[in-house]
């Protein structure tokens, strides 16, 4: 009995070591990479794991926006992470910062990785580095217009230009430019943009520029056909 009590009251005993690591929420990062960032490895005494410290180490990584770490006796550590997903790219110094919705640079790459490139004419980006926070007004504006577009059209955006006064220009492939101003009716107008383009196509109009800046009006500069209004 004395020997049994000694084992039960010494958490660092072999029985109370980390034998199982349960990691959830990973996409770009691997579970092994997350465990390494948390500083937790199999064989570590379970009582030495400090969940708050491990979570703080994880959240210091630019790819991770939130983390929870828990100890599950007698031998497991549970890690749950929420990863940031790059939404936009910002150019600088011949490279691209891949930026999440909250404005944090997730990574810096040689190309935009298929993401729309944000050209912020209001607040040019500072030095690009993972973990840096980009000026959020331009990121918010770009996110607002991309969120309002139906998924197929949003996937065709290659460039977003944000200017003073809330003016936003979207460049699509194939060649199409949409000009807009951030105001209350813009999300609804962008949501209905595919139907407007279909209606123009039915009239034989191929638009090069669609201007949504004027309330109640849609002004079209066609590639061919139509009078533009």
């Amino acid at each position: 009995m004395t020997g049994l009590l000694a084992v039960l009251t010494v958490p660092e005993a072999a029985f109370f070591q980390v034998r199982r690591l349960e990691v959830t929420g990973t996409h770009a990062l691997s579970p092994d990479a997350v465990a390494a960032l948390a500083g937790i490895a199999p064989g570590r005494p379970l009582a030495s794991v400090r969940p708050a410290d491990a979570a703080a180490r994880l959240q210091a990584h630019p790819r991770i926006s939130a983390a929870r770490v828990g100890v599950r006796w007698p031998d497991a550590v549970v890690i749950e992470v929420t990863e940031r997903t790059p939404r936009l790219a910002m150019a600088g110094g011949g490279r691209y910062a891949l930026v999440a919705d909250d404005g944090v640079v997730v990574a810096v790459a040689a190309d935009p990785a298929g993401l729309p490139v944000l050209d912020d004419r209001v607040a040019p980006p500072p030095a690009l580095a993972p973990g840096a926070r980009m000026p959020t007004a331009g990121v918010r504006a770009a996110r607002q217009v991309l969120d309002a577009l139906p998924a197929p059209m949003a996937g065709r955006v290659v460039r977003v230009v944000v200017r003073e006064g809330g003016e936003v220009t979207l460049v699509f492939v194939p060649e199409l430019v949409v000009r807009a101003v951030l105001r209350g009716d813009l999300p609804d107008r962008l949501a209905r943009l595919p139907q407007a383009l279909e209606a123009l196509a039915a009239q034989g109009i191929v638009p090069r520029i669609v201007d949504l800046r004027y309330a109640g009006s849609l002004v079209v500069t066609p590639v061919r056909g139509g009078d533009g209004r």
Side-chain angles (χ1 to χ4, degrees), residues 1-16 47 73:
M1 179 64 72
T2 302
L4 177 60
L5 289 174
V7 171
L8 291 177
T9 55
V10 181
E12 279 76 12
F15 184 71
F16 295 105
W73 294 90

Side-chain angles (χ1 to χ4, degrees), residues 70-90:
V71 173
R72 185 177 295 164
W73 294 90
D75 62 357
V77 173
V78 179
I79 301 174
E80 179 183 352
V81 298
T82 302
E83 289 189 10
R84 290 185 176 91
T85 300
R87 188 76 180 279
L88 298 160
M90 297 183 77

